[in-house]
Amino acid sequence: MNAVIIAVLIMLVLSLLRVNVVFALLIGALAGGLSGGLSFMETLTSFTDGLGAGATIALSYAMLGGFAVAISRTGIPQLLVKGILKIVNKDGEATRGNLAKALIVFTLLAMAIFSQNLIPIHIAFIPLLIPPILHILNELKIDRRLIAAVLTFGLTAPYILLPYGFGLIFHEIIGVQMELAGLAINIEDIPKAMVIPVAGLLVGLVIAVFVSYRNPREYQNKISSIEETQRKTASKKDVLVTIVALLAALYAQIQTESMIIGALAGILVLYVSGTMKWREADEVLTEGMRMMAFIGFVMITANGFASVIQETGEIGSLVGSVSSVLGENKALAAALMLVIGLLITIGIGSSFATIPIIAAIFVPLAMEFGFSTLAIIALIGTAGALGDAGSPASDSTLGPTAGLNADGQHNHIWDTCVPTFVHYNIPLMVFGWIAVMVL
């Protein structure tokens, strides 16, 4: 069996058995390296060398965590909580349950979308907003798998479709890697090619909201968001300074292309303005880093996993073995290439990192089969995006879990990864295949 498949399957099985994701990735990488012909020491060296590539990401999330906690100390999130609490009775019964539920879902969906394109702070808003409203979610008996599905949609669909913020980075990677593989494209064609695949994600969202998780689910009240709202009430100055901090973070991130500098700029605005006290700096940053530490460790380990997989050279042989049995069947070729993309992304947890791996092989293969330029863009974009939702090592699943599991009642694998895998990867596979065949 191909080493890539072995590594991914072992990682997934261990994760489903509730083994810690970091250990699952490590064991999967060792199994993949050994089965791919590497010695134990070669596998270990490759894994260790790959860890450094995740250091920047880990530090970025740590800084974003600090920024998120700093904003939370201003009382801004509590304003949102108070607004929602007006729709809920003091005794905990929803006066207008459906309206309250719709308000929460729409607000979180909008925030997730904005975090990718308009205010590219990525998952930093989740630990900022979710823990304070867990009490409200419990009172309304909202299934947290629904919220996980909503957040993951907002974290993935916008960057796949829209060329702004993280979406611009994703589209530029597609354009550059396709050109390096022998097919120069107009980057403006990428949104056209990705409309149909993203429609599949929208179908999955609708099914999750209105079918799969519409029924109430009971949770224990371990966090009181009412008590949280009484900690601090945001003043007009707090609101204004927070807006300036967010704009400063956005501007700095765009100018430097660094989430680290963006988060630092936002934190400095809060402190210089006096909204946050300098003596609280150490406590705030430590709390934020602790909150995002798990995500950071998973992302670092995922880079080690990816390094081993690439070192085996088995990705090329996997594609080669598939192409050798395709013959002239374009439909089967498209389907199998999408499946390979899913396997790679769900293993390394990053659609951005998957594009360079698959473009060099898929582009000439797709050209040989006679696919149009738009079809090849849809193929590369979809194959890269497949697995981002549902991967245990993806920040699109780690982020929602970080917020929803603040009281220990939301399992990363079974309550985030499995629901998002089912609702997004399946329709994305189907609609992506349709796009490749009709474009």
Side-chain angles (χ1 to χ4, degrees), residues 292-314:
M292 303 293 274
F294 176 68
I295 296 177
F297 278 117
V298 172
M299 297 302 292
I300 289 174
T301 310
N303 276 272
F305 181 96
S307 176
V308 172
I309 294 304
Q310 295 181 57
E311 184 69 21
T312 64
E314 291 286 279

Side-chain angles (χ1 to χ4, degrees), residues 78 81 85 131-136 138-139 220-231 407:
Q78 285 68 41
V81 174
L85 281 173
I133 67 171
L134 287 179
H135 176 77
I136 302 173
N138 296 343
E139 294 295 342
Q220 295 179 357
N221 281 325
K222 297 183 178 181
I223 295 180
S224 175
S225 59
I226 296 178
E227 292 177 0
E228 286 287 326
T229 63
Q230 296 173 347
R231 288 171 108 191
D407 61 356

Side-chain angles (χ1 to χ4, degrees), residues 16 26 31 35 47 78 106 111-112 139 205 289 298 320 363 366 391:
L16 290 172
L26 174 58
S35 62
F47 182 86
Q78 285 68 41
F106 177 78
M111 284 297 301
E139 294 295 342
L205 175 65
M289 291 178 182
V298 172
V363 169
S391 171

Side-chain angles (χ1 to χ4, degrees), residues 342 385-390 420-430:
L342 171 63
L386 273 166
D388 192 4
T420 54
F421 181 93
V422 171
H423 287 87
Y424 296 131
N425 285 322
I426 294 175
L428 183 58
M429 175 79 73
V430 173

Side-chain angles (χ1 to χ4, degrees), residues 71 73-76 79 232-245 270 273-276:
I71 292 178
R73 295 295 184 87
T74 67
I76 299 298
L79 289 179
K232 179 176 179 179
T233 301
S235 64
K236 291 182 180 179
K237 176 190 173 184
D238 293 332
V239 175
L240 178 60
V241 171
T242 301
I243 293 174
V244 173
L270 292 175
S273 66
T275 302
M276 287 296 298

